[in-house]
Amino acid sequence: MDSQVPRHIGIIMDGNGRWARRQSRPASFGHRAGVRAIKRVLQACEDLGVHALSIYAFSTENWARPRAEVRALMRLFHETMQREVDEMHRRGVRILVSGRRDELSPKMRHRIEEAMARTANNKNGILNVCLNYGGRAEIVDAARRLIRDGVPPERVDEAAISQRMYQPDLPDPDLIIRTAGEHRVSNFLLWQGAYAEMLVSETLWPDFGEDDLRTALTEYATRVRRFGARPAHEVMVS
Ligand code: IPE
Ligand code: IPE
Ligand code: MG
């Protein structure tokens, strides 16, 4: 496989609110346009050879938004899940949902479980929807699992923690993109993103498309990933 193409991309889809406000419309208008962008980008990932895409759809902190916006978002997630699963399944995409599902409505949980079960054996690509997701919450949940599993302290290592993350089989993201110009992580994939390349795009998420993804991949291909080591060509022989 071409190592210049990331295997797994994470996207912090930001800017829906600003996109809507520019048109004097409510945030929910921007979120709807954001769903259309997800469809475009998922297709572009497939075309460009990116195997897995993790999208940050709703953070554990986003409950602090106005009630009407939260309600509109939840309705949109439910509706989208219902409408898009058939097509995703037909395209062989496996759907994963990461986050604290027990805090979502029973109706939503049911949809999520159905979508994951239905697409569980698909091999053409992975869409990991981070919903009610927080990087810190995920680490807390992993710690709880360690304790529940009775792991003794001397057996707690990085592998033991990684195995207890929400998606232990997903490789770490190679590239994390944040749209709408903000330079912060906002609690996304804190553990898995330890060595991800970071890229900030000025494009607001509803306007993001294949061209923006191509630009991001071109930039990614120029990056030298070091993982803390000294690349051989930099070693001075004395
Ligand atoms: C991102 O867009 C979508 C979610 C957080 C659900 P925002 O709604 O955060 O957009 P801005 O930051 O207000 O522009
Ligand atoms: C991050 O965006 C969360 C999602 C994209 C779901 P936010 O808009 O919530 O992040 P902050 O508040 O600007 O840091
Ligand atoms: Mg935002």
Side-chain angles (χ1 to χ4, degrees), residues 156-172:
V156 176
D157 56 14
E158 293 187 9
I161 296 174
S162 291
Q163 281 158 22
R164 289 168 177 82
M165 289 284 147
Y166 296 143
Q167 306 301 341
D169 299 328
L170 208 55
D172 287 344

Side-chain angles (χ1 to χ4, degrees), residues 14-15 18 65 178:
D14 201 14
R18 275 161 278 181
R65 295 200 175 189
R178 180 163 187 148

Side-chain angles (χ1 to χ4, degrees), residues 12-14 56-59 62 65 178 184 186:
I12 302 170
M13 310 182 291
D14 201 14
Y56 203 5
F58 192 87
S59 75
N62 286 148
R65 295 200 175 189
R178 180 163 187 148
R184 55 176 173 263
S186 301

Side-chain angles (χ1 to χ4, degrees), residues 88-133:
M88 304 267 224
H89 187 47
R90 217 174 312 120
R91 280 161 55 186
V93 175
R94 179 172 184 196
I95 299 172
L96 300 171
V97 179
S98 298
R100 287 194 169 158
R101 291 215 287 279
D102 54 350
E103 293 170 0
L104 300 173
S105 73
K107 207 170 89 172
M108 181 79 87
R109 284 206 304 269
H110 177 71
R111 274 270 162 274
I112 289 171
E113 275 146 28
E114 204 176 54
M116 291 200 305
R118 182 123 175 262
T119 62
N121 296 318
N122 290 348
K123 302 272 189 280
N124 283 351
I126 293 172
L127 178 66
N128 176 33
V129 183
C130 298
L131 182 57
N132 194 23
Y133 174 87

